[in-house]
Amino acid sequence: MSIKVSNFYYLIAGIFAVLFAVTHAWNGQSAVLPELQVGAITMGTRTVFMYVWHIITAENLVFGVMFIWMSFQSDRAKVQFAAWMIVSLLIVRLMVILSVTAFQDASSLTDTLIDSIAIVIYVAFIILGIRIKPKKVGKSEATFQ
């Protein structure tokens, strides 16, 4: 039994998502979350911010594991719906990031550039993976499967 990658775009998207989970957790623990220790922020606000931060980290990890698993599936139709759902979530995530940032402080929109580019590239790889056409199986090949 050999394991074969059926969709390299999904594999790349999965690797990106796992890397995003790691860098998101690392950035949160080293730079963002320590800033919450200022006295002006209530413990409740700190708790909410921390769990929301870690929810996104966990989502990225789950998406990554799923895309890596999906990259080995030969029946693309079975995983296409999940891929479209994740694309939808990522696009909504990007819209929330940009709209909340624009509403709160439009001048800091440039601070979202790296995250925005990463999400767009990630979504592009997923869509490329969705658009892969299934291989045609000839009559002689079909009898051996």
Side-chain angles (χ1 to χ4, degrees):
M1 179 173 134
S2 66
I3 297 176
K4 181 182 170 203
V5 174
S6 297
N7 192 321
F8 282 100
Y9 293 115
Y10 284 171
L11 181 62
I12 292 167
I15 292 168
F16 277 165
V18 170
L19 289 173
F20 294 160
V22 169
T23 58
H24 192 265
W26 182 13
N27 186 39
Q29 290 302 121
S30 64
V32 177
L33 298 176
E35 292 292 321
L36 294 177
Q37 301 309 319
V38 297
I41 298 175
T42 67
M43 182 54 80
T45 302
R46 285 183 218 161
T47 302
V48 169
F49 192 90
M50 288 181 75
Y51 74 67
V52 169
W53 188 275
H54 291 301
I55 285 171
I56 293 170
T57 299
E59 283 177 358
N60 286 337
L61 185 59
V62 169
F63 291 168
V65 169
M66 289 311 300
F67 273 113
I68 291 169
W69 176 79
M70 288 164 53
S71 75
F72 295 104
Q73 304 307 305
S74 58
D75 187 355
R76 291 183 180 100
K78 290 182 179 178
V79 296
Q80 219 170 21
F81 179 76
W84 276 118
M85 286 297 297
I86 294 170
V87 163
S88 301
L89 289 169
L90 292 168
I91 290 170
V92 168
R93 183 188 289 183
L94 180 58
M95 290 180 351
V96 168
I97 290 168
L98 295 175
S99 61
V100 168
T101 303
F103 183 73
Q104 294 295 319
D105 180 16
S107 66
S108 65
L109 273 170
T110 56
D111 295 341
T112 67
L113 188 61
I114 292 173
D115 292 338
S116 299
I117 291 170
I119 292 172
V120 168
I121 291 170
Y122 181 26
V123 166
F125 273 101
I126 297 168
I127 291 173
L128 287 169
I130 291 169
R131 294 178 48 98
I132 288 179
K133 302 290 183 216
K135 295 178 183 174
K136 302 269 184 193
V137 178
K139 287 184 181 181
S140 62
E141 293 177 51
T143 58
F144 295 109
Q145 292 186 0

